[in-house]
Amino acid sequence: MNENKSQFYGKNTLLGLLLACLVCFPLTISSDCGAGYVPFYGYSFINPEITKFDSELAPFFLNFSNIYKEFFKTQQEIYQLDNAKEWQERYCENANVADIRYIVYKASRFQLQDLLIAMDSETGSASRRIGGALANNGWARYMVKHNCRETVDYLMFAKTCEPHAVAPADSWREINRDVVAMSRLIDEAHDRFLRTESDYIKLRYAFQAIRLAHYSKQYDKVLELVDYYLPKIDYDPSIVEYWIWGHKAGALQALGQRPEAAYLYSRIFEKCPGKRESAYRSFRIDTNEEWEQSLLLCKSDHERANLYVLRANSNNALLVEEMRNIYAYDPQHHALEMLLVRELQQLEKDLLAESINPYRANNVRQHGIPRVYAGERVIELQNQVRSWLKENKLRQPALWKLAQGYLEVLAGNYYFAERTLEEADEMIEDKHLKEQLSVFRLVLEILSLEEVGDDEERYLANLGRQYKFYKNYPDFPRLINDKLRLLYREQGDDAKAYLMEYSLAQLKANPDLDIIDRLIALCRKEERTRFEKELVELQDGTTIENELLNIKSAHLLGQGFLEPALKAMQEVTLVEQDNFGQFNPFVRRFKDCVNCLLPDTVTTYNRVELIELMLEMEFDARAAESADQAASIYFDLGEAFYNMSYFGQAWKATDLFRSSSSGDRAYRNKGQEIFSHVGLPLGNHENFNTDRALRYFDLARRTAKSKEIQVAAAYMAAKCERNDFYTQHERRTYDYFSIIETDYKDTQFYQRIINECRDFQAYLLK
């Protein structure tokens, strides 16, 4: 220890004082870093597979975000598959759909031309005559073998038309086209139509002509072509007919005949999955009169129900009312189930566990969730579902019973929800609905918890291993954590509640000594439950105790409590003490530099060694042989506390997280010590306090006989005074600048202050 002491109060102490931080510029501080956008935080437990009874309609109505693609096809994929399947049904059941899709959507005109050449050849098998990439294509071989010239001719023509007739975003909306070229192709389609024998190929030529007329904005011609072609074709029902209807509807709408267009779009929406989204996007009714006219065009109650289905899917729809309209015309309409699940999704987002959601304020502020009318909507839908179940006209009563139970969960009626889900259990046979029932029951069980003890912790901790569907629903851990956090707080167990909501990183940034002590006690508990182990144990079987002791020690040291800080750090195992940082707060520089590296020649200390040294220095100061020697020690202690604050290079000794933006924010909000920061929901506590440093600098000034030591100590005290103004007080005081000006003009150190401290220069000019 004698070697260490010589660094601080040897013969060169006065020189060290003269090299103290002399430049007194205001701190350079970065811009504010306030809280930004936070994604919606909620829970979802609705299984997408409960809608697989209508997997083509489900993705249009529902929103399953990242799991959507796993269960459902895109509109484009449905369109292409339906087209390929129809070619397969009409011409070649032996060819697989992939081969047909390749020829229709990938093969070039030149490849198709090769098929015609192969048809003219009489030598070898079909695959030999074809050659190239299509040699192994089953549909290509079929068409060559059976001399399907009309089909190949049509496919080549379709590829010629395609660049002129690709809809933006797969809809029937208009963009600028080469009208002259398109008109020539319309005429060519007509000529081919007249020369073709197959009614099915005739239908497709008619489609190409009508499509080209639509995209070239020849709307009257579209209607003319539809009226001309369709009566002349004898064909079985085909999806191509719905494609033609779509272009007819687009022409009607462009000509102001919206009721007729809306009716056609509703028929396409139901009958043609590949164009369902296009029909919905194009559907438009502007007035009640137009709506009534559309209803009059319907030929059945089912068709009238379809119109309401389209209207129900708009963003501003009164969903329950629209469901009533659909039910009135067709109680077994398959869209009713989709609309039910859709509203369940939204109400789940609004209401599920809303009272325990830690981000509910942000959900309201940034996302408008829950909707202000969500409570009324859930009651309204509950009443309607009960009423329809009593009437016993629904297509899938088990699904509706299950929904009734979940609506009661969302409304917080847990007693009734349990009874309803029991009744649903007796009705459900489908395996996906059985899984959904099981999941809803577990959600209800978690939300119904009123207290948590060791038994509840063991049960919840084992869910991941024992509950069959747990891993399929990633929001279960979050729901459990949020529920337990609330129960722990109600039971007075704030430490567990803290770890349920926040991480160790948050505790480092904003220490809470009471929470830290409770967590340390939990780490030292002899018989921890599995759940408690999950909270405080690391992968290697050790606990977070040493981390907690390090946080506690650093925070206490920053508050100036040396003995308690030392006691906490001494409880860290000796082997681990060096792993929590090496420091030297006694290094002096001309100006503050929080991120400057220490010279290699400087001795560093772990926190135990540092605090022991500082405590010994306090003893040595009291036992010093001379006033100047004691003053030098007090000066060193003041410098240590200054450098361990926010403003010094040894800040890591007392603060485990520092943000450069905090100084500027503190200047604008005097007295603020906790600052919002991304990823830190409780904020970041900064150690701005230099009171302990000021005390030692003032003690050094009053104790010293040497005026050089006195002025250096006064100067450092003035820096503390300045920093206190930056972060604490609206009005700046200049007590120590006044002392320097009055008492120390005859010192060498005063001249350095005059030459190098602009802050002091400005003071003298006042």
Side-chain angles (χ1 to χ4, degrees):
M1 185 60 73
N2 290 334
E3 181 181 350
N4 290 331
K5 291 181 190 177
S6 67
Q7 296 181 58
F8 308 114
Y9 19 101
K11 295 181 179 179
N12 293 324
T13 298
L14 184 57
L15 177 62
L17 295 175
L18 294 176
L19 294 178
C21 304
L22 300 177
V23 181
C24 193
F25 297 116
L27 296 178
T28 302
I29 298 170
S30 65
S31 61
D32 197 352
C33 183
Y37 174 83
V38 179
F40 172 78
Y41 182 99
Y43 323 88
S44 180
F45 298 98
I46 298 176
N47 177 8
E49 293 207 48
I50 67 172
T51 61
K52 270 200 167 180
F53 53 81
D54 198 339
S55 60
E56 291 178 343
L57 192 62
F60 181 79
F61 279 90
L62 309 176
N63 175 26
F64 288 110
S65 61
N66 60 325
I67 55 176
Y68 168 92
K69 292 181 180 179
E70 181 179 348
F71 294 100
F72 306 116
K73 301 179 181 68
T74 64
Q75 288 279 285
Q76 183 182 22
E77 187 176 7
I78 293 171
Y79 172 80
Q80 292 187 4
L81 283 172
D82 286 351
N83 191 19
K85 288 175 182 177
E86 186 162 296
W87 278 113
Q88 182 188 49
E89 292 167 1
R90 297 301 174 96
Y91 282 93
C92 183
E93 293 185 359
N94 292 328
N96 62 50
V97 170
D99 284 348
I100 296 172
R101 285 183 74 181
Y102 180 84
I103 289 178
V104 174
Y105 297 105
K106 300 291 185 182
S108 67
R109 281 175 45 84
F110 299 107
Q111 287 177 300
L112 295 175
Q113 184 69 45
D114 288 342
L115 296 184
L116 294 177
I117 295 172
M119 292 177 193
D120 294 332
S121 174
E122 298 180 357
T123 60
S125 64
S127 58
R128 278 190 171 184
R129 282 183 278 161
I130 297 170
L134 297 183
N136 295 320
N137 187 290
W139 197 32
R141 292 199 304 268
Y142 175 89
M143 288 189 289
V144 170
K145 182 177 179 180
H146 295 278
N147 201 34
C148 300
R149 286 182 175 274
E150 286 189 345
T151 302
V152 176
D153 282 337
Y154 166 75
L155 291 170
M156 292 175 63
F157 179 74
K159 289 184 182 294
T160 303
C161 296
E162 196 67 22
H164 300 284
V166 176
D170 195 32
S171 72
W172 286 296
R173 298 185 181 184
E174 312 90 19
I175 59 174
N176 292 328
R177 311 280 182 176
D178 186 346
V179 177
V180 175
M182 296 168 77
S183 295
R184 285 199 299 266
L185 288 171
I186 291 171
D187 293 339
E188 183 179 346
H190 178 69
D191 293 340
R192 288 171 176 266
F193 178 89
L194 296 176
R195 297 196 306 266
T196 300
E197 294 183 7
S198 166
D199 277 290
Y200 185 66
I201 300 300
K202 281 178 178 285
L203 178 65
R204 286 188 172 265
Y205 276 123
F207 164 70
Q208 294 294 346
I210 293 165
R211 182 166 72 154
L212 289 165
H214 179 206
Y215 289 139
S216 61
K217 301 184 181 181
Q218 301 179 64
Y219 302 122
D220 288 321
K221 190 170 187 64
V222 170
L223 303 181
E224 177 188 330
L225 292 175
V226 171
D227 291 341
Y228 172 81
Y229 282 124
L230 292 190
K232 295 177 173 59
I233 307 171
D234 183 14
Y235 59 90
D236 294 330
S238 167
I239 58 171
V240 180
E241 182 181 5
Y242 297 113
W243 300 350
I244 290 173
W245 284 7
H247 293 296
K248 179 181 179 180
L252 288 169
Q253 186 161 277
L255 294 170
Q257 301 177 48
R258 281 190 287 272
E260 295 91 335
Y263 169 70
L264 285 176
Y265 284 135
S266 71
R267 303 295 296 130
I268 296 164
F269 183 85
E270 181 189 26
K271 297 292 186 180
C272 187
K275 287 295 182 181
R276 181 165 285 142
E277 184 174 352
S278 297
Y280 169 71
R281 290 180 183 277
S282 302
F283 180 86
R284 178 182 173 185
I285 289 289
D286 288 345
T287 66
N288 289 333
E289 183 181 357
E290 288 178 348
W291 179 255
E292 294 299 329
Q293 290 175 12
S294 295
L295 287 172
L296 290 174
L297 293 171
C298 297
K299 298 177 178 60
S300 66
D301 283 347
H302 181 75
E303 289 188 358
R304 281 181 274 276
N306 286 336
L307 274 176
Y308 282 105
V309 169
L310 267 177
R311 197 169 74 170
N313 214 34
S314 63
N315 291 331
N316 58 351
L318 300 174
L319 194 60
V320 178
E321 181 179 336
E322 299 293 18
M323 290 173 69
R324 289 193 192 104
N325 292 326
I326 297 167
Y327 181 89
Y329 285 117
D330 187 354
Q332 296 204 351
H333 198 293
H334 61 165
L336 276 173
E337 285 99 1
M338 294 302 161
L339 293 170
L340 171 68
V341 178
R342 173 184 166 182
E343 186 65 357
L344 277 180
Q345 280 186 314
Q346 186 58 58
L347 289 171
E348 179 184 55
K349 202 171 183 180
D350 285 319
L351 301 174
L352 181 60
E354 192 265 340
S355 63
I356 67 172
N357 190 318
Y359 291 93
R360 57 185 178 274
N362 180 76
N363 287 345
V364 173
R365 182 173 60 253
Q366 294 195 357
H367 305 280
I369 297 174
R371 298 168 296 177
V372 292
Y373 51 82
E376 298 174 3
R377 181 74 66 87
V378 73
I379 294 172
E380 182 183 18
L381 187 55
Q382 276 182 277
N383 293 334
Q384 192 62 74
V385 170
R386 291 194 195 102
S387 173
W388 287 342
L389 281 168
K390 288 180 181 178
E391 293 178 13
N392 198 27
K393 296 178 182 179
L394 296 163
R395 189 171 70 136
Q396 291 196 90
L399 172 63
W400 291 83
K401 193 68 177 180
L402 183 62
Q404 179 190 340
Y406 199 43
L407 287 168
E408 289 166 345
V409 172
L410 298 179
N413 301 323
Y414 298 154
Y415 172 76
F416 294 105
E418 185 176 2
R419 290 176 52 187
T420 301
L421 292 177
E422 287 178 2
E423 294 170 1
D425 195 7
E426 299 176 1
M427 301 170 61
I428 293 174
E429 296 180 358
D430 177 81
K431 68 174 183 178
H432 300 308
L433 291 182
K434 283 185 176 295
E435 175 180 333
Q436 187 68 89
L437 172 64
S438 177
V439 170
F440 286 168
R441 278 179 155 173
L442 181 56
V443 170
L444 174 60
E445 186 176 356
I446 294 167
L447 293 177
S448 299
L449 283 174
E450 295 182 351
E451 61 181 7
V452 57
D454 289 353
D455 291 340
E456 288 79 13
E457 286 183 352
R458 291 189 186 94
Y459 170 69
L460 294 172
N462 289 323
L463 279 177
R465 294 183 299 175
Q466 297 179 355
Y467 183 72
K468 182 178 179 181
F469 305 117
Y470 187 84
K471 294 181 180 178
N472 297 338
Y473 298 83
D475 287 346
F476 267 129
R478 183 157 54 178
L479 181 69
I480 292 171
N481 286 358
D482 292 340
K483 178 65 177 181
L484 291 188
R485 185 189 69 254
L486 181 66
L487 291 177
Y488 283 138
R489 282 181 176 163
E490 290 175 350
Q491 294 173 194
D493 198 340
D494 291 337
K496 287 184 181 180
Y498 186 98
L499 283 188
M500 298 303 298
E501 185 169 4
Y502 308 114
S503 66
L504 201 59
Q506 175 64 73
L507 201 57
K508 290 179 180 179
N510 189 7
D512 183 318
L513 292 180
D514 182 59
I515 295 295
I516 292 171
D517 286 339
R518 294 188 185 203
L519 290 175
I520 291 172
L522 181 57
C523 290
R524 294 173 178 175
K525 185 178 177 181
E526 292 185 4
E527 295 293 333
R528 288 188 293 273
T529 67
R530 178 181 172 83
F531 199 81
E532 290 171 337
K533 290 179 180 179
E534 292 290 333
L535 287 177
V536 300
E537 286 191 7
L538 303 172
Q539 290 184 348
D540 61 3
T542 61
T543 69
I544 59 174
E545 180 178 348
N546 283 342
E547 286 280 1
L548 295 168
L549 291 167
N550 175 59
I551 298 170
K552 180 178 181 179
S553 175
H555 186 67
L556 288 170
L557 179 58
Q559 302 303 307
F561 303 124
L562 295 181
E563 289 86 354
L566 176 62
K567 181 180 178 182
M569 203 64 200
Q570 284 176 330
E571 293 182 39
V572 175
T573 55
L574 196 61
V575 176
E576 294 288 325
Q577 288 177 4
D578 284 346
N579 294 337
F580 292 104
Q582 296 284 315
F583 320 100
N584 187 321
F586 305 101
V587 175
R588 295 161 189 163
R589 292 188 173 91
F590 283 103
K591 60 180 180 179
D592 293 344
C593 183
V594 297
N595 295 315
C596 292
L597 297 176
L598 295 177
D600 294 338
T601 56
V602 170
T603 301
T604 59
Y605 315 90
N606 64 37
R607 196 175 291 106
V608 170
E609 295 167 340
L610 174 61
I611 299 173
E612 287 178 341
L613 175 60
M614 294 176 71
L615 288 170
E616 188 168 350
M617 288 169 65
E618 284 191 335
F619 176 82
D620 289 345
R622 291 191 293 271
E625 296 178 357
S626 69
D628 283 349
Q629 187 180 30
S632 295
I633 299 173
Y634 289 138
F635 188 97
D636 289 332
L637 285 167
E639 192 162 49
F641 277 108
Y642 184 89
N643 284 332
M644 291 188 298
S645 75
Y646 179 87
F647 309 98
Q649 51 83 16
W651 62 268
K652 291 182 180 179
T654 62
D655 193 354
L656 304 185
F657 182 84
R658 178 189 186 278
S659 173
S660 60
S661 71
S662 299
D664 185 45
R665 296 166 73 183
Y667 181 75
R668 288 185 278 112
N669 300 280
K670 303 294 188 179
Q672 183 177 358
E673 293 184 345
I674 299 175
F675 303 88
S676 61
H677 197 280
V678 176
L680 299 174
L682 290 181
N684 170 36
H685 178 274
E686 299 289 12
N687 179 26
F688 291 134
N689 193 336
T690 56
D691 289 350
R692 192 71 179 261
L694 177 61
R695 172 192 160 196
Y696 278 114
F697 287 133
D698 195 63
L699 189 58
R701 184 182 67 84
R702 295 176 183 277
T703 302
K705 298 297 184 181
S706 166
K707 296 190 71 174
E708 295 294 343
I709 297 178
Q710 291 175 13
V711 67
Y715 174 70
M716 291 302 296
K719 289 179 69 174
C720 295
E721 190 177 39
R722 175 205 64 187
N723 294 340
D724 193 48
F725 160 68
Y726 286 159
T727 60
Q728 300 293 326
H729 300 300
E730 295 290 344
R731 188 179 69 85
R732 177 160 183 184
T733 58
Y734 295 91
D735 294 344
Y736 287 96
F737 273 178
S738 177
I739 291 172
I740 292 171
E741 181 188 16
T742 302
D743 298 338
Y744 301 114
K745 288 182 179 179
D746 58 344
T747 63
Q748 296 179 14
F749 197 78
Y750 180 86
Q751 295 305 315
R752 299 202 67 163
I753 298 174
I754 286 286
N755 294 332
E756 301 186 41
C757 182
R758 294 181 184 177
D759 199 17
F760 188 65
Q761 294 168 7
Y763 165 77
L764 294 177
L765 293 174
K766 285 182 176 293

